[in-house]
């Protein structure tokens, strides 16, 4: 099939060949669980951002922000610690499967990645990063500017493999996800207080929104049209933040959650503005705050017993290197919303993804 695409012929023949291969891979691979509108295709899922979307890009960085070791991946196929910040699959994997694209979204820096994997999408995300360039510097991970450069390289590889017209088709019809902001607010501003001496929270949120807006416009210029941008979750309810700032009772930290809500409101407004400014763009604000706070406040309604602690170790502080092979894990992971003190379990992600997709998938088309 690869040879078929490399044969020199006119652009119509190339497009027909590409469509045939895409159709064949779809019927032989994942079956779409989401009913798409008639004549709509989603050839790939392309992801940027932080640890929620990092599929293993951080594995070879000189940073503590990685998890390519047990017990991470304990429920992945073969118990493989892939560098995903959870016990098994991530939202990127689940969304790609729901759309019938493929079962797993690979990291762009995965050494086993092949050219044929590119057309259905990859993740450029780096755990620990954010919209604020200082956020990635603090933990030595890849900023969004580096992810953008990798995306440009990715486009070049696609063009060399399947040609300009087919590349344009993939970029304009794939869904792009941008997942960032949590580390900026929870860590850079509140926990480490690196930015709190320079900005009040309103002006810091404006800095983040300006950075997010610039990034969205950059990937739009490169061909992205269907772009979903995640808001910030209720960071004050993350187990780690409860432990550090929630007092003896480890309650949710209202100040942090209010900052997240304020940022989300600004982000949603900016996406509306950009959506009306960029021709053919479908910019979708993905609300993660309200679904997650509902799970936390009504855990039994969603099948969870524990929502204030992670499954790894005590569940209060363990994450990345503190969640390791010498630490015990909870017996029933499906009853825990959080895997470590920052990231949900696979079951937590499943519930969240189902709630998110119901609300926003139609807005991409």
């Amino acid at each position: 099939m690869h040879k078929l695409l490399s044969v020199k012929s006119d652009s119509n023949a190339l497009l027909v060949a590409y469509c045939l291969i895409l159709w064949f891979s779809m019927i032989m691979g994942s079956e779409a669980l989401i009913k798409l509108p008639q004549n709509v295709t989603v050839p790939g899922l392309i992801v940027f951002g932080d640890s929620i979307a990092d599929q293993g890009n951080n594995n070879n960085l000189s940073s503590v922000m990685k998890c390519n070791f047990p017990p991470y991946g304990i429920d992945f196929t073969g118990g493989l610690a892939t560098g995903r910040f959870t016990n098994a699959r991530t939202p990127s994997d689940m969304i790609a499967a729901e759309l019938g694209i493929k079962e797993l979204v690979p990291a762009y820096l995965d050494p086993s990645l092949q050219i044929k994997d590119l057309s259905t999408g990859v993740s450029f995300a780096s755990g620990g990063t954010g919209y604020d360039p200082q956020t990635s510097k603090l933990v030595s991970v890849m900023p969004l500017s580096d992810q953008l450069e990798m995306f440009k390289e990715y486009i070049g590889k696609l063009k060399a493999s399947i040609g300009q017209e087919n590349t344009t088709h993939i970029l304009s019809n794939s869904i792009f996800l941008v997942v960032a902001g949590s580390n900026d607010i929870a860590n850079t501003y509140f926990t480490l207080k690196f930015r709190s001496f320079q900005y009040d929270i309103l002006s810091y949120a404006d800095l983040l929104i300006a950075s997010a807006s610039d990034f969205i416009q950059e990937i739009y210029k490169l061909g992205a049209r269907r772009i979903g941008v995640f808001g910030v979750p209720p960071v004050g309810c993350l187990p780690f933040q409860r432990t550090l700032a929630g007092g003896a009772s480890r309650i949710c930290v209202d100040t942090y959650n209010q900052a997240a809500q304020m940022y989300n409101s600004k982000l949603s407004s900016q996406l509306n503005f950009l959506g009306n400014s960029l021709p053919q763009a479908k910019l979708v604000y993905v609300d993660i705050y309200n679904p997650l706070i509902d799970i936390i406040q009504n855990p039994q309604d969603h099948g969870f017993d524990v929502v204030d602690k992670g499954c790894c170790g005590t569940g209060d502080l363990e994450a990345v290197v503190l969640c390791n092979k010498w630490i015990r894990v909870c017996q029933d992971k499906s009853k825990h919303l959080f895997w470590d003190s920052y990231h949900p379990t696979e079951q937590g992600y499943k519930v969240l993804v189902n709630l998110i997709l119901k609300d926003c998938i139609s807005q991409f088309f």
Side-chain angles (χ1 to χ4, degrees):
M1 291 182 185
H2 179 74
K3 289 182 179 179
L4 176 61
L5 287 177
S6 64
V7 172
K8 291 184 177 180
S9 58
D10 60 57
S11 59
N12 287 335
L14 278 172
L15 183 59
V16 170
Y18 167 72
C19 290
L20 285 172
I21 290 173
L22 180 62
W23 172 80
F24 182 78
S25 65
M26 291 284 284
I27 63 172
M28 293 300 291
S30 305
E31 181 181 352
L33 300 179
I34 296 172
K35 186 173 178 59
L36 299 176
Q38 192 172 4
N39 299 323
V40 166
T41 61
V42 181
L45 184 72
I46 299 171
V47 193
F48 303 91
D50 57 26
S51 56
I52 302 301
D54 188 348
Q55 307 291 91
N57 285 311
N58 277 13
N59 287 356
N60 295 313
L61 297 184
S62 296
S63 170
V64 297
M65 292 300 296
K66 52 187 175 183
C67 54
N68 54 338
F69 46 80
Y72 288 96
I74 191 171
D75 297 308
F76 203 83
T77 303
L80 184 63
T82 62
R84 290 166 169 83
F85 288 75
T86 184
N87 58 307
R89 296 178 302 150
T90 66
S92 300
D93 298 320
M94 296 172 188
I95 293 170
E98 290 280 342
L99 289 168
I101 298 169
K102 55 186 173 184
E103 289 300 315
L104 300 171
V105 175
Y108 181 68
L109 296 181
D110 184 340
S112 66
L113 187 72
Q114 299 181 33
I115 290 295
K116 65 181 178 64
D117 298 321
L118 298 180
S119 62
T120 49
V122 295
S123 170
F124 301 98
S126 179
T129 201
Y131 290 118
D132 182 350
Q134 292 299 324
T135 298
S136 57
K137 288 181 181 178
L138 289 171
V139 288
S140 300
V141 298
M142 294 184 293
L144 285 172
S145 57
D146 284 2
Q147 296 181 35
L148 186 64
E149 291 305 309
M150 288 193 294
F151 179 48
K152 293 176 183 177
E153 180 184 79
Y154 160 88
I155 293 172
K157 290 179 179 179
L158 266 186
K159 288 180 180 178
S161 174
I162 62 174
Q164 175 68 60
E165 189 170 353
N166 292 328
T167 297
T168 299
H169 174 81
I170 288 173
L171 296 178
S172 61
N173 289 283
S174 291
I175 287 179
F176 288 73
L177 299 178
V178 184
V179 188
S182 298
N183 294 313
D184 300 311
I185 294 174
N187 299 332
T188 306
Y189 193 84
F190 283 116
T191 300
L192 300 176
K193 301 187 184 303
F194 187 84
R195 288 296 202 182
S196 62
F197 299 109
Q198 300 169 283
Y199 301 92
D200 61 27
I201 190 60
L202 284 171
S203 56
Y204 186 59
D206 288 337
L207 180 151
L208 299 181
I209 297 301
S211 178
S213 181
D214 288 345
F215 184 80
I216 292 162
Q217 291 177 78
E218 286 297 323
I219 62 173
Y220 172 84
K221 290 175 186 175
L222 293 168
R225 293 295 180 268
R226 298 170 176 168
I227 306 171
V229 185
F230 278 58
V232 168
V235 292
C237 293
L238 299 178
F240 187 88
Q241 301 299 346
R242 286 176 182 258
T243 301
L244 291 186
S249 300
R250 297 181 68 254
I251 61 172
C252 292
V253 188
D254 286 341
T255 306
Y256 295 11
N257 285 350
Q258 289 165 7
Q261 289 176 299
M262 180 267 296
Y263 164 83
N264 288 339
S265 178
K266 288 176 176 284
L267 176 64
S268 179
S269 295
Q270 182 63 16
L271 290 176
N272 285 335
F273 170 76
L274 289 176
N276 292 324
S277 306
L278 302 175
Q280 299 180 323
K282 294 287 187 179
L283 303 186
V284 179
Y285 168 68
V286 182
D287 176 22
I288 191 71
Y289 186 100
N290 288 302
L292 188 54
I293 201 71
D294 182 61
I295 295 171
I296 291 168
Q297 293 174 346
N298 305 286
Q300 299 294 332
D301 292 348
H302 301 279
F304 296 107
D305 292 336
V306 183
V307 295
D308 63 344
K309 291 176 177 286
C311 175
C312 186
T314 65
D316 293 342
L317 287 170
E318 290 87 348
V320 292
V321 294
L322 296 180
C323 177
N324 54 60
K325 64 181 180 181
W326 293 284
I327 301 294
R328 67 168 182 83
V329 297
C330 62
Q331 288 188 336
D332 191 350
K333 295 178 284 295
S334 69
K335 295 298 182 180
H336 277 68
L337 172 60
F338 291 99
W339 163 247
D340 60 17
S341 63
Y342 261 95
H343 308 97
T345 56
E346 180 184 52
Q347 182 60 28
Y349 280 139
K350 281 182 182 178
V351 174
L352 278 170
V353 165
N354 286 338
L355 294 172
I356 290 167
L357 289 179
K358 287 179 183 177
D359 287 338
C360 73
I361 193 65
S362 62
Q363 298 176 53
F364 285 103
F365 314 111

